[in-house]
Amino acid sequence: MVEFNEIDLNILRRVSEADGIGGCEREVSRIVTEYGTPLVDEIIHDNLGSTIMHKKGRGNGPKIMFSAHMDEVGFEVRGITDSGYIKLLPVGGWWGHVMPAHEMTVTTENGDKYIGVIGARAPHGLPPEEKNKVISPLDLFLDMGVHSKKQISDLGIQIGDMITPNTKFRVMNDGDTLCGKAWDDRCNLGVELELLRNLAGESLAADIYCAATVQEEVGIRGARTATHTIQPDLAIALDVTTATDTPLDTAGMTLGGGVVLSVVDNLTLGNPALINMLKDIAQEYGLGIRCDFMTDGGTDACNIHKMLKGVVAVTASLPTRYMHSSRLMISRTDYEQTIKMLTAFCRRIDWAQVNAMKAASGILA
Amino acid sequence: MVDNELMSKLLELDSAPGNEVHVAKFLLTQYKPLADEIVYDNLGSIYAVRRSKQVNAAHVMVSGHMDEPGLILKSFNENGTLNALILGELAEPALLGTAIRFNVAGHHIQGTLLSLTEKPNAVSNKQTVLVDCGFTSQEAAENSGLTIGAHATFAQAPVMGEQRVIAKNWDGRFAPLVGLALLEAVKDEQLDFDLYVGCTVQETVGLRGVQTATNVVEPDLGIVIDTDAAFDYQDDARDKIGVLGAGLLVNFYDKTVLPNRMLIQELKAICTQNNIPYQYYYSMAGSDAAWINKLRTGTPTLFINAAVRNLGTPSQVIDLNDIAAVQQALIAFIHQLTPAKIAAYKAENR
């Protein structure tokens, strides 16, 4: 038996290039379902579109939930001007700084795709106060290269249609850095699928539920409905965290140093015994591991851990450069190490371990 | 299309958050002849239920809120004035000198809001207002029947125009009115799903009643009927949306909920088939739909809303044609709804 499979970069490429903002994750969930179906016993859903891959255990084991969200930050068509420009409504957090001159894809109700470019001003003759100002996303617009409202409507584009970056997946020049859109949080859909590939055919004590959730970027909604559907005993939210290893950010969260465990984020305190178990596994397999203490931001874990009667939980993240833009970068090393750590975790988690984690919270009977 | 008598009765009622009992009692009498059953949550939200003959029928929840922004009495002052706390979102510029009324054991005690400072300023940074009901001393105020915790609302009487109606509480009375029109329209029909039509409490103080109501109703499909701010007249409006008289609002985005896309398509198709005017709208305000949508295992949710000018003030303006459009579309939607469609809405985003 191979302990860990060679990763399949096609999975990452396909989930990255699929288009799916909050409430419109269908393209992504169909890719997840396509890869996941042969690897698990059943695929279940909540009523908002979260897709949950269930690998059954030997029976009566703890329910372990992994959560990665399918939605990316993007826009909806907010309005169409008489000249055929599209006004943008951000869905998820955008900064005007990273938008102008980027290509975007409009997806119509029928699934037709049209590419436009976010318009910007030429710098020529602009006063310094204009040049130094960041333009609000609500004031930017998509130029479809047409000249009238009618031309837009002839394409089938309507108000409310989805807009996402048009970015192709690319392996960068060191062979390890992976560039693409939507790594937040699609890279962790890859982690879930690679995890299930590693576990395929194995008999485990625990029931493994890999959830691909909806609507994280707009208020962590799918994590609620998926948690209700699964009713887990333990959950690991898989997300991304801000890398700070560029000339602009020098706090030292590097790409390539291994998985990042959130001891604390703005909305969740990680279970200490669960964190220790993951650290032990990392040490055993020689994997890098970092601890994160964030004072803003949150992940699916924020809602999962306090739902139902409470769920033992932590967030494991991949450091990511250029979050909430058209092009993000992650490290293949971090990706592979996360998959290895979680594979080993699934092979060893059982009721004794889960009860020890509850005991770490003072639950002793 | 709009029942004028029913509308007048509803608009005259007072229903501050946490004290929606006057509307709830009125709705109970209206619902009874039209419903198989009445259900409540434990905060006071009320639903008329039309049961189907199907086993394990799907639950369809048609809901909006019945509370209106108001005040709650905090303390008495020696000079006979009162301190009250704002409940919900009131537009500050509308408050100074405005008429308000406490509702004590069925009778009104009228008053107005004073400035807190020499310069006109009706609201403190702690959301407190100063009320003058004409009492000359603390003793007179205390003997009036008012007690700490008494609720007040705006006191303006409705202005019934031919086309537009001005009232203190469209935000809070729109859903009761539209819900009753739906129940009346389907009263003799056999439905293939259980239909819950009703109203939530405490929306304006933080979408509270809808959370408890959703756990009672356990919906498979949610339709929220609500009012949204009109931006059709302000000089500085970013987008001219929510145009009065231009038809119902197709909300494709709300800060707290992303409406189900197949439901939006269905609503637009129904409007087109029936010549019902509609307009696109997006909202940054948030609504009851948030919790119907994300509680339990999730519920596909749709808005059928109307635009209102001057929300949060005693003079909220609505267009009767817009109410008619909402009622017509809602009734048509329920007529065309089947269990198979409900299942399809749930599966839409898979």
Side-chain angles (χ1 to χ4, degrees), chain A residues 22 25-26 29-30 45-48 76 78 87 89 109 138-139 158-160 221 225 228-229, chain B residues 238-239 252-253 255-258 261 265 268 280 282 284 293 296-298 346 348-350:
Chain A
E25 296 90 346
R26 191 162 50 179
S29 86
R30 289 183 179 176
H45 296 93
D46 64 24
N47 296 325
L48 300 188
E76 288 182 18
R78 186 177 102 230
K87 296 198 259 186
L89 184 65
E109 193 176 288
L138 286 167
D139 293 329
Q158 303 179 75
I159 288 176
R221 296 178 197 151
T225 47
H228 254 279
T229 304
Chain B
R238 185 188 289 278
D239 294 310
F252 62 94
Y253 176 96
K255 201 177 80 179
T256 58
V257 66
L258 296 168
R261 286 178 176 258
Q265 285 171 29
K268 289 196 285 187
Y280 288 103
Y282 65 92
M284 298 299 177
N293 183 243
R296 306 171 62 251
T297 56
K346 286 184 175 182
E348 185 271 334
N349 194 26
R350 291 177 192 166

Side-chain angles (χ1 to χ4, degrees), chain B residues 33-36 50 181-190 335:
Chain B
L34 303 172
D36 300 312
R50 288 289 320 277
L182 172 62
L183 285 167
E184 182 66 34
V186 300
K187 68 180 175 190
D188 297 321
E189 291 171 32
Q190 192 62 53
H335 277 148

Side-chain angles (χ1 to χ4, degrees), chain B residues 284-301:
Chain B
M284 298 299 177
S287 90
D288 267 1
W291 289 100
I292 296 175
N293 183 243
K294 70 185 177 182
L295 278 179
R296 306 171 62 251
T297 56
T299 308
T301 307

Side-chain angles (χ1 to χ4, degrees), chain B residues 58-349:
Chain B
H59 294 187
V60 175
M61 179 175 186
V62 178
S63 186
H65 69 99
M66 60 179 168
D67 58 312
E68 61 190 270
L71 306 171
I72 186 165
L73 177 55
K74 218 169 83 165
S75 58
F76 297 96
N77 296 318
E78 277 182 21
N79 65 359
T81 60
L82 317 167
N83 301 310
L85 194 63
I86 290 175
L87 296 177
E89 287 183 15
L90 298 181
E92 281 192 32
L95 294 184
L96 186 60
T98 199
I100 62 102
R101 68 190 180 208
F102 289 93
N103 200 314
V104 178
H107 77 276
H108 291 139
I109 296 177
Q110 300 248 10
T112 188
L113 301 187
L114 301 174
S115 179
L116 297 159
T117 53
E118 279 190 16
K119 278 190 183 167
N121 171 27
V123 185
S124 81
N125 57 11
K126 297 222 162 98
Q127 293 291 291
T128 298
V129 294
L130 188 60
V131 185
D132 191 341
C133 292
F135 301 120
T136 53
S137 67
Q138 179 166 351
E139 197 186 5
E142 287 176 343
N143 289 338
S144 69
L146 281 176
T147 51
I148 307 291
H151 291 87
T153 60
F154 290 131
Q156 271 78 345
V159 178
M160 302 289 185
E162 286 279 305
Q163 192 58 48
R164 305 254 159 114
V165 174
I166 306 175
K168 71 188 178 85
N169 50 10
W170 273 121
D171 187 25
R173 242 24 60 82
F174 177 70
L177 179 65
V178 171
L180 279 166
L182 172 62
L183 285 167
E184 182 66 34
V186 300
K187 68 180 175 190
D188 297 321
E189 291 171 32
Q190 192 62 53
L191 301 169
D192 286 336
F193 44 85
D194 288 354
L195 179 65
Y196 290 71
V197 180
C199 295
T200 61
V201 296
Q202 300 185 35
E203 187 262 4
T204 183
V205 288
L207 315 180
R208 296 183 194 154
V210 70
Q211 300 180 44
T212 46
T214 303
N215 282 330
V216 168
V217 173
E218 303 189 324
D220 295 281
L221 173 67
I223 301 172
V224 168
I225 37 187
D226 203 354
T227 51
D228 277 309
F231 295 103
D232 64 336
Y233 59 93
Q234 302 91 333
D235 284 340
D236 63 344
R238 185 188 289 278
D239 294 310
K240 194 178 173 192
I241 56 172
V243 179
L244 253 62
L248 63 84
L249 305 180
V250 173
N251 284 42
F252 62 94
Y253 176 96
D254 174 286
K255 201 177 80 179
T256 58
V257 66
L258 296 168
N260 181 285
R261 286 178 176 258
M262 192 186 279
L263 282 167
I264 290 177
Q265 285 171 29
E266 176 83 356
L267 177 60
K268 289 196 285 187
I270 282 170
C271 288
T272 305
Q273 286 157 21
N274 297 285
N275 290 317
I276 301 169
Y278 72 89
Q279 53 185 320
Y280 288 103
Y281 191 87
Y282 65 92
S283 166
M284 298 299 177
S287 90
D288 267 1
W291 289 100
I292 296 175
N293 183 243
K294 70 185 177 182
L295 278 179
R296 306 171 62 251
T297 56
T299 308
T301 307
L302 176 71
F303 290 102
I304 310 183
N305 288 2
V308 171
R309 290 179 183 163
N310 258 358
L311 284 175
T313 79
S315 304
Q316 305 172 9
V317 190
I318 204 166
D319 190 295
L320 291 173
N321 281 347
D322 293 340
I323 304 179
V326 168
Q327 290 181 171
Q328 204 188 339
L330 177 62
I331 292 163
F333 185 94
I334 294 296
H335 277 148
Q336 294 186 21
L337 188 61
T338 61
K341 282 189 180 179
I342 295 170
Y345 296 131
K346 286 184 175 182
E348 185 271 334
N349 194 26

